[in-house]
Structures are given as structure tokens and as C-alpha cells.
Amino acid sequence: MTQEKTSDAPAIVWFRRDLRLADNPALMAAVETERPLVLLYIDETDLERPYGAAKKVWLHHSLNSLSKSIHDKGGKLLLREGPAEAVLDDVIKQSGAEAVFWNRRYEADGIERDSNIKASLQDRDIEVETFNGSLLTEPWEVETQAGGYYKVFTPYWRAASQVIGPRMAANPPLKAPNELIPFQKNLKEDELDLLPKSLDWDEKVMTDWSPGENGARDRLNSFLKGPIKEYTDARNIPSNETGTSRLSPHLAAGEISPKQIWQAARDGKHDADKFLSEIGWREFSYVLLYHNPKLAEKNYKADFDNFEWRTDKKSFEAWTKGQTGYPFVDAGMRELWQTGWMHNRVRMVVASFLIKHLLIDWRDGEAWFWDTLLEADPAANSASWQWVAGSGADAAPYFRIFNPFGQGEKFDEDGDYVRKFVPELKDIPNKYIQTPWKAPKEILKKAGVTLGETYPEPLVEHTHARERALSRYKESRGE
């Protein structure tokens, strides 16, 4: 419970991955003290794993949106840069704050620094209150009958849903505060340097997105008005721009909470089980990360530690640039670079291609996604890459190797997705759009395609790559 107001000293609300006013328990608890508020965001310079370039671009725009929303409620967002503990100490010294509120984070580095900061503040008789503002359940909360954490998604989600349903009925999402009482004294501010200096990527990418709480709410409402009805099938078609909710960047920044998504989907009486299970995978990923702090660095399954990865900078670069010679893979990698996002079906295919066709370490792919995904999330990113690699919890078996052109023929039957992101192939007939190397010379010539010049030959032949991957896997297991 938060303390009653004892003086005119302000309370600090430390925003992190909760860049919203509604359903923000730390903010609401601070508001209820009736103290003046210092609403603070710190660009932490001592993070163990700093945000990637794409995430920083999103953050820049999201903070602008949050600042405006706070201003409209009478408050002010204070932006600072530096090590979190030092910045907090400086703000407390300047303001005389007697309380600090924040919503928890769950990666090991965040837990450690937050615990140290909390202990230091409490030693100085400064009130600290922390809350769950980003998950439906705490990562340690849903346990197996034996008392451990779930390592398989389906039984985990079944058990978690039994907790979430009644809890949501009793504790619906919080409304945004009606007003914010600002702390009147001017405090030192920093100009955050989040946008890239040498690329015009920011302007191009943001044409597809509306960062901020209002953008998140609009995107959810649009999805629930119609596309959710077709979600089970449409979510696998990458050319269908309304087939998925595209809420992931908003969710990762905390512009919308999973509680808000859950309630909106259920209140609309939608058949939302499949959609909400994707929220469940996010929850499950945080369970895995909490119990396996090195999930982005270390194989979850130790028997993968013997796997011999290839070092092939040229092939890796071709993959990052969408120049593998496999159109469905290349379309996905170019979509990522151009929009900061990639369709989930395609993510599995491009990840499988890197890991199993090229035999390049999954950690290299995870790092590339961390830098280029607007939604880069410490739990979902690492858990998903390990899932595809076969080294993770409840993972696809290693021998499940996605066929990079078979997937395209199934889920991009008319080639719309490939033509959008690999326009040099736009005049190739549907029959060959996923396998241009099979097209007769006259068809390639008519389409203006010269393999090896205007579009690359495949980096590796599929059957050979598959056999090589399976052989390498058996070797790693001593078979």
C-alpha cells in the first residue's frame, strides 16, 4: 500500500517500458498520494544490453507522444540521460522527493539494478513502491504441481488462463488519471539523442506506424472491429496487412498493456482464443527469461553446446540484406529493414534459413533482430530464436527445417508479398515467383531478370543444405 501524503515533497514516477497513462499502476499509485509528481524517463547509459537502433527510433516518437499526453493532463515529462541510480539521486536531491514509484522489469540486469536502487533509496528513508505493469501474471506466479516453472507452452497457458480470467474480472485495467499535479520547480533536463545520424530510415519507417498510447489504442480497435474474425487463417498470410494486429511494437514499449488487450478482446465477445494465445507466448517467454537469465546468450538445452556453427560473414550479410536468392526469405528480411517489423510466419522461415540452411549461430540472428526490430523484446526475441533453433524450451525439433520456397508457395501463393518487397521479380509468373532459378530462360528474359546479376542465385541448394544440417546435428549429439 502506498503511504498517505505527509508533506508537499513530490513523488517520482519512473517510466520505463510503460509509456502510457492508462492501466499504469505505478502512475496511479503515485497520483493517489496527492503529491506533486516528477514524471521521469531515464535513457539509461549503463544497461547491460542497450536498445538497438530501431527500438531507439520508436522510443523517440513514443516519448514525444507521452510528453504530449502528460502535458494535456497538466503535467510535464522530465527526460534525463545517464546511469539510472545516479540520475535518480540527482533528481531526488534537486526536488526533495520522498517517494519513487515504478513498474517492474524482469530481465536479470533490470532486476539486479532495480533491487540495488530500491535498497539504496529505502536506506535513506525514501519510500519505494513497485508494480507489475507489463504482464498478466508475474513470471514466478504460475507453477506446476511439483512447484517448478512450466517448460511447455500448452499446459502453462492452460494454467495461466485459469488465474488470469478471474483476476481480470476482479481487477480490470486502470483508467488514466484525470489530472496530474506537476512539481513546480524547474529541474535539469537532457536532450536525448535517439535518432540515427547517418540514415533516413527514421522518416521512411515511421510512415507505417503511429507510436504512442493513442496509436496503440487505435490499432487495437481497428483490429477488433473486423480482422480478428479472420485471424486464425489470415495471420499466416504475410501479404494480408490486416491479418495480424501489429500491436507488438506498442506492447514492447508499454504504450498498451496486455490487460487492456485481454479485456478489449473479451468484452467485444470475439472468438479471441487464438489471438490471446499469442499474448500467452509473450507471457511464457518472460517465464523462460526469468528462470533462465542468459536466454539470449546460452542454449536452453545444453546438448546444443556441442553444435559446430559456421562462420560465414558473406552469407550472413546476404541474409541481412535480403539477397539469399530465396524470394520468400529475401522479402522478409527486406520488410524488416524497410518497416522495422516482419510477419511472424516469415520470421520463422528466415530464422530457420539462417540457422539450418546456412548453419550460422542463432545468436547472430537474435542480435540482428534486436537491432532492427522496432519491438525488440528481451524475452520474446531470445525465446523465439531458440524455439526455431531447437535449443529452447518447448522448441520445434531441430530436424523441422522450413522449406524456404515451399513456405512461400503455401502462404504467398500469388506472390504478392514477394513482389512488394522484391520488386525486381515483379514480372515473374506465379509459377516461378518463389523459385526463379527454375524458370526457363525466355521467361526470365521477358521479366528482365538475370540470375546472379539483377537477382542472386540461391546461396545454397535446399536439399543439400537440409542434409548438411541434419548431419551436423547428429554429429553434435555424437550419433
Side-chain angles (χ1 to χ4, degrees), residues 33 51 83 123 179 251 255 333 364 420:
T33 68
Y51 289 145
D123 284 346
E179 64 175 331
L251 193 55
E255 298 165 353
M333 297 307 297
D364 293 339
K420 179 176 180 179

Side-chain angles (χ1 to χ4, degrees), residues 186-204:
N186 289 329
L187 301 173
K188 176 191 172 186
E189 295 186 73
D190 292 328
E191 190 77 30
L192 303 189
D193 187 19
L194 298 171
L195 295 179
K197 293 180 175 63
S198 59
L199 298 173
D200 59 356
W201 192 75
D202 165 48
E203 184 176 341
K204 291 180 179 178

